[in-house]
Amino acid sequence: MTADDLRTTVDWRGTSVLTLADLWPERPRAMVVGLHPVPCSVEAGHYFQGQVGQRQLRRLASTGLLPAPDDGTFFEPGALAAGVGFANVVRRPASGAAVSPDEVAHGREVLLARLAERAVPLVVCLTRLPVKALLGREGRPGYQAEELPGGTRVFRMPGPFAPQVEVADVLAGLEVPD
């Protein structure tokens, strides 16, 4: 899987943007969902290429949900083979939380429909922002009380700078779906 395999141009609310393709496994066990792709990830052609994203993916790999990559940085091939995909609420690349409420609302509706259509049992959010986009509130790290339409559970990772003891406690509660 090369960078060119993951980069795609999409129509995002009337504007053509270069972004990352949503990666849907044939039989999804889980989807890792971000708020939006960051420019360095689109440039690299792989999800979560910033330091924070890489740290969070390594933590997630430690749970057994997806394998750690052989090359150390590109998680998509192993994740897809394990039934774990990747998507973003907002398709447009941005830095920080620089997306409008209208973009979030639009992306939320599109993503929720796709998750329900594919009967995805679990969404894992690496930070608080996609949880807020999907549920309307940030929630605490761990499983959220509300489910998405279709019964999809939402798991929020501990923050990227959380103490290791907190990270271990929260990640110990992640149930890896079959």
Side-chain angles (χ1 to χ4, degrees):
M1 183 173 293
T2 69
D4 290 334
D5 294 334
L6 300 183
R7 280 192 291 254
T8 188
T9 300
V10 299
D11 179 320
W12 176 250
R13 298 173 35 114
T15 302
S16 182
V17 296
L18 179 65
T19 190
L20 295 172
D22 288 345
L23 298 179
W24 296 95
E26 188 173 322
R27 299 181 109 158
R29 293 173 47 229
M31 290 293 288
V32 177
V33 174
L35 180 61
H36 57 76
V38 295
C40 70
S41 292
V42 175
E43 184 178 318
H46 292 276
Y47 275 82
F48 303 108
Q49 289 302 293
Q51 287 182 335
V52 168
Q54 286 289 294
R55 175 182 298 135
Q56 294 293 77
L57 284 178
R58 284 191 300 274
R59 288 176 170 176
L60 189 56
S62 75
T63 69
L65 181 66
L66 55 96
D70 294 333
D71 65 9
T73 57
F74 304 140
F75 284 79
E76 298 93 350
L80 283 172
V84 179
F86 295 87
N88 286 294
V89 176
V90 172
R91 300 296 305 272
R92 180 180 63 82
S95 295
V99 294
S100 73
D102 288 345
E103 285 182 290
V104 172
H106 171 76
R108 177 184 186 276
E109 294 309 312
V110 171
L111 183 58
L112 289 178
R114 290 175 149 184
L115 291 166
E117 173 184 300
R118 291 171 172 82
V120 175
L122 175 65
V123 164
V124 176
C125 299
L126 301 185
T127 66
R128 63 185 170 78
L129 296 174
V131 175
K132 186 174 182 180
L134 293 171
L135 297 175
R137 61 174 193 76
E138 296 174 4
R140 295 180 155 289
Y143 282 103
Q144 304 305 295
E146 304 96 311
E147 293 182 346
L148 299 177
T152 300
R153 296 180 76 189
V154 178
F155 185 88
R156 176 183 159 194
M157 296 275 295
F161 304 106
Q164 186 55 39
V165 67
E166 177 186 333
V167 171
D169 286 348
V170 172
L171 293 183
L174 177 62
E175 300 166 8
V176 178
D178 294 332

